[in-house]
Amino acid sequence: MKINKEGTIFFSFDTNQNPKAFKDPNTVKWVDFQIDNNKGTIYSEGETLNITLFSESAEEFSIFHTKIIPQNGLNKVAVAWSPHEIKLFMNGEKIQSLNPNDFKF
């Protein structure tokens, strides 16, 4: 997968205002975004955070699929990308990263 431009998408949630976030069996769509012209979606299914690319197409796939345990109160999630790395952060800590060049289409 080729990424031409750097970028970042953020979202936050407060467990006090949204107590059902990251609780089974709830599914929450958090945000849509684009890496270059490729649509992506961030959503949660229970305690699992999913970041997909090529949303709403036959090529849709998950780049991150990870369990999230929110802190009480405000939580901040970010996905940052560059031509050489896609990173997932929660509350300022890197949770996962991958090389987009590992995905061939």
Side-chain angles (χ1 to χ4, degrees):
M1 179 175 135
K2 184 164 175 49
I3 296 177
N4 296 309
K5 298 178 184 177
E6 293 183 358
T8 305
I9 184 76
F10 301 93
F11 76 92
S12 61
F13 64 95
D14 189 319
T15 59
N16 297 320
Q17 295 175 359
N18 193 350
K20 294 183 179 182
F22 295 97
K23 303 276 186 188
D24 285 324
N26 300 319
T27 298
V28 178
K29 181 178 177 182
W30 294 102
V31 66
D32 291 320
F33 66 99
Q34 286 193 328
I35 294 179
D36 293 337
N37 291 320
N38 302 310
K39 291 175 68 174
T41 302
I42 301 174
Y43 66 98
S44 59
E45 294 177 309
E47 295 179 337
T48 303
L49 182 68
N50 295 290
I51 294 105
T52 62
L53 285 181
F54 307 113
S55 296
E56 302 169 8
S57 77
E59 291 84 28
E60 181 175 306
F61 73 99
S62 180
I63 57 172
F64 294 116
H65 183 85
T66 188
K67 184 175 179 177
I68 295 291
I69 301 173
Q71 299 174 359
N72 287 330
L74 185 64
N75 290 267
K76 298 178 182 180
V77 177
V79 177
W81 57 88
S82 71
H84 305 289
E85 189 174 27
I86 303 174
K87 299 177 274 190
L88 171 62
F89 295 88
M90 183 161 174
N91 297 325
E93 290 186 41
K94 184 165 71 170
I95 296 174
Q96 285 183 303
S97 66
L98 59 86
N99 184 335
N101 297 316
D102 290 343
F103 297 98
K104 306 293 182 206
F105 298 96

